[in-house]
Amino acid sequence: MLYFEDLQAGQRFLSPSHTLSEDEIVRYARQFDPQPFHTDPQAAEHSFFNGLAASGWHTSSLSMRLVTESELGQAANGLIGMQIDNMRWPRPTRPGDTLQVEVEILDLRRSGSQPGFGVVKVRWTTRNQRGETAMQLESALWLQCRLPLPGDTLPPAESKNIPT
C-alpha cells in the first residue's frame, strides 16, 4: 500500500504497457465516440487523421487502467481524482501502438480541511512505442495519510467527505 507519506515531488511511476488492436479501437468508439475516423477504417483514410485513430477518451481510459496496474495503483484508498487540468492528445493513437504511462509527482500538501488526507498533484504522460506523447494531463489525487499529524482529529469513518 502507498500512503501520502510514501510520495515525494519528482518521484515517477511507470505502468505496464498495452498494445491496441484495430478491433479494440473500433469497439470502444462504437460505444463511446462513434465518429467515422474512430469506427470505419476506410472512411478514416479520408479524414483529418489519414487513417483509423483511437478516440482520445479511449487513450485516456486505457491510461487509467494502466496506472491502476502500476505501483501508484496501490494507493491506500485508491486513485481518487479531484480534478484534471491541461489534458491534451498531441498525437493520435493508432492500431498496433503500444502505450505506457509515466506518472510524475509534482507537488504534495496535507489537507487543511480533512485530517488524515493529502492532495497529490501529478502529471500523466502516455507514450507510444516510439516515445511519442499520445496523451498528457495534470491531476490532483486525494490520498490517505499513514499517520495523522499531531493534533489532527479524525472524523468518524462514516463522515469522511471529500472536499469539492
Side-chain angles (χ1 to χ4, degrees), residues 4 8-10 104-109 119-122:
F4 179 81
Q8 58 186 324
E104 178 184 4
I105 308 297
L106 301 176
D107 189 42
L108 303 100
R109 68 174 173 79
V119 177
V120 182
K121 178 94 176 200
V122 295

Side-chain angles (χ1 to χ4, degrees), residues 46-63:
H46 306 289
S47 73
F48 170 82
F49 295 105
N50 296 314
L52 193 69
S55 167
W57 299 114
H58 189 179
T59 300
S60 301
S61 297
L62 177 56
S63 295

Side-chain angles (χ1 to χ4, degrees), residues 58-110:
H58 189 179
T59 300
S60 301
S61 297
L62 177 56
S63 295
M64 181 71 210
R65 189 186 95 204
L66 292 173
V67 170
T68 66
E69 294 173 359
S70 76
E71 185 183 359
L72 186 59
Q74 301 305 308
N77 59 303
L79 295 171
I80 299 173
M82 299 173 67
Q83 70 185 49
I84 293 176
D85 296 309
N86 305 316
M87 184 177 214
R88 62 191 192 94
W89 300 282
R91 175 166 283 99
T93 297
R94 307 283 188 176
D97 277 353
T98 299
L99 301 182
Q100 186 173 40
V101 186
E102 180 180 59
V103 180
E104 178 184 4
I105 308 297
L106 301 176
D107 189 42
L108 303 100
R109 68 174 173 79
R110 292 288 297 242

